[in-house]
Amino acid sequence: MACASRFQWHVLLMFLRVLQGESRYIQMKNAAEDALFLINSDLKRELSEEQIYRRSLRCIDMLSIDGQFTFTAERPQLHCALFIIGGPEDFITIEYNFVNINCLGGDILKVFDGWIIKGEKFPSSLDHPLSTVERYTDICELGKMGRITRSSQNVAMIFFRVQEPGNGFTLTIRKTPNLFPCNIISQSPSGQYTMIVPHQHRNCSFSIIYPVVIKIYDLTLGHFNELQLKKPPPRGCGGTGDFVELLGGTGLDPSKMFPLADLCHSFRGSAQMKIGCDNSVIRMVSSGKFINQVTFEYNQLDRQKEGQEGNSVEEVCYPIDS
């Protein structure tokens, strides 16, 4: 099974566990099969630039390719969610082509800028320019078809409830280039990436929903580049204004994860750390005064192998009190 397939299966299982017991209409097997079908490489090769991919949606679903997607309720669907993910350097655009739901009767169709699972958000409220309320787009309140919304990063999410059989909606999903990607969820448990924050006062997180081994090869922080320090920085990196931190946790929100390491000195070479958590995050905090850059490689951690070697990687992974 491809890495992207494993990622989609992993996220679907995580969300289904959250909704367990809340909806009797969730069909895990069918949703997982659709998720695997979405990223089939043969399908991508067969579609020419002039063609548009079309398929129906299920109550719990995930999309990673462009196309036009239709949901039609066969029976009341009360707790539904659509995860959308692009590549690291993608925005997600959503166009509402057709909506036939009963908003006055309690149906909903809302887009969330990011992902939210069991109250935990990505990007976190600390790392997103909008408040949580502003990150929701309520299609029932818009009242205009053909309108387009765009995510602030490579993930977005749609919550919907359709109670009347036969009702539903049609959406067109497209990816557009993001010249300065910031907050990212990786589609794969392994890869390499360079995160750059150019003179921007913002915090950027790269999230990997797996336990991983992370190797940082190059870290450039503007305030230390010219080696003009006359005294060491304060204990920890918080007082420097520009630093990278490694986080681990069981949920989605980086602000609720356990801080595992801070890096506030530029260096070239290699630094490695094992993070035995369900979710691992590399987070860059930038003051906006400098160009900051970090290059890293990540690979899925084999927990069984680590256990056999007597290396406890679980002890550093526990939730932090909110």
Side-chain angles (χ1 to χ4, degrees):
M1 187 182 297
C3 289
S5 300
R6 291 198 300 268
F7 168 81
Q8 300 220 359
W9 171 246
H10 184 86
V11 173
L12 280 169
L13 285 179
M14 180 172 62
F15 190 74
L16 287 166
R17 285 200 299 267
V18 172
L19 290 184
Q20 187 175 10
E22 295 185 10
S23 174
R24 55 181 171 158
Y25 299 126
I26 295 174
Q27 299 178 17
M28 184 174 72
K29 180 179 177 181
N30 291 336
E33 288 173 350
D34 278 358
L36 302 183
F37 175 73
L38 283 174
I39 42 80
N40 184 290
S41 58
D42 293 334
L43 171 65
K44 292 181 181 181
R45 286 194 294 267
E46 290 173 3
L47 292 173
S48 67
E49 293 184 0
E50 292 78 18
Q51 292 176 306
I52 183 169
Y53 174 58
R54 291 180 172 86
R55 79 161 175 88
S56 60
L57 295 172
R58 297 187 182 276
C59 179
I60 303 295
D61 217 331
M62 175 172 280
L63 299 175
S64 62
I65 63 174
D66 294 359
Q68 190 174 83
F69 306 93
T70 299
F71 178 80
T72 303
E74 297 180 357
R75 53 198 171 209
Q77 301 282 13
L78 305 180
H79 302 281
C80 299
L82 171 63
F83 291 88
I84 310 170
I85 186 168
E89 298 177 346
D90 287 338
F91 288 121
I92 295 167
T93 61
I94 304 170
E95 181 179 1
Y96 319 107
N97 306 116
F98 171 77
V99 177
N100 178 29
I101 63 175
N102 185 2
C103 295
L104 295 178
D107 288 359
I108 61 172
L109 181 57
K110 294 183 179 182
V111 180
F112 183 73
D113 188 7
W115 280 3
I116 182 168
I117 299 177
K118 206 174 182 179
E120 294 205 5
K121 301 177 287 292
F122 184 91
S124 74
S125 297
L126 297 178
D127 298 344
H128 200 282
L130 301 176
S131 68
T132 299
V133 173
E134 293 174 313
R135 291 168 71 174
Y136 283 98
T137 301
D138 191 335
I139 309 307
C140 283
E141 294 180 358
L142 288 179
K144 293 181 180 179
M145 294 308 98
R147 181 160 177 170
I148 295 176
T149 59
R150 190 184 74 172
S151 69
S152 302
Q153 60 286 310
N154 77 321
V155 291
M157 194 170 181
I158 299 177
F159 296 94
F160 57 97
R161 176 192 301 142
V162 183
Q163 302 173 86
E164 183 68 26
N167 287 358
F169 54 88
T170 298
L171 305 172
T172 297
I173 307 296
R174 293 187 178 89
K175 314 297 190 315
T176 56
N178 181 358
L179 299 180
F180 298 102
C182 181
N183 293 301
I184 297 161
I185 291 182
S186 174
Q187 293 192 51
S188 170
S190 61
Q192 184 172 349
Y193 192 74
T194 297
M195 182 185 296
I196 303 175
V197 182
H199 293 292
Q200 294 175 327
H201 180 43
R202 64 192 307 194
N203 305 327
C204 298
S205 293
F206 190 98
S207 177
I208 311 152
I209 309 179
Y210 289 93
V212 292
V213 179
I214 293 177
K215 294 181 181 179
I216 296 179
Y217 291 106
D218 185 18
L219 176 61
T220 303
L221 298 170
H223 59 303
F224 290 137
N225 287 349
E226 298 179 4
L227 300 178
Q228 295 177 347
L229 283 181
K230 296 182 179 179
K231 59 181 180 179
R235 191 172 184 176
C237 293
T240 66
D242 298 81
F243 61 94
V244 168
E245 58 181 351
L246 302 182
L247 307 169
T250 58
L252 196 65
D253 193 329
S255 68
K256 297 181 179 180
M257 293 183 182
F258 183 71
L260 303 176
D262 285 353
L263 302 173
C264 44
H265 290 279
S266 299
F267 70 86
R268 294 183 182 275
S270 177
Q272 176 177 302
M273 185 168 189
K274 298 174 183 178
I275 303 179
C277 306
D278 292 335
N279 197 359
S280 310
V281 168
I282 302 97
R283 182 172 181 261
M284 176 175 282
V285 177
S286 297
S287 65
K289 299 177 182 179
F290 312 101
I291 298 176
N292 296 324
Q293 175 177 315
V294 60
T295 298
F296 53 91
E297 175 186 315
Y298 54 101
N299 292 283
Q300 187 171 5
L301 183 65
D302 188 335
R303 294 189 182 188
Q304 184 176 3
K305 181 179 178 181
E306 293 296 327
Q308 292 173 349
E309 294 177 354
N311 184 358
S312 176
V313 296
E314 299 292 343
E315 62 185 16
V316 299
C317 184
Y318 53 90
I320 190 170
D321 292 335
S322 56

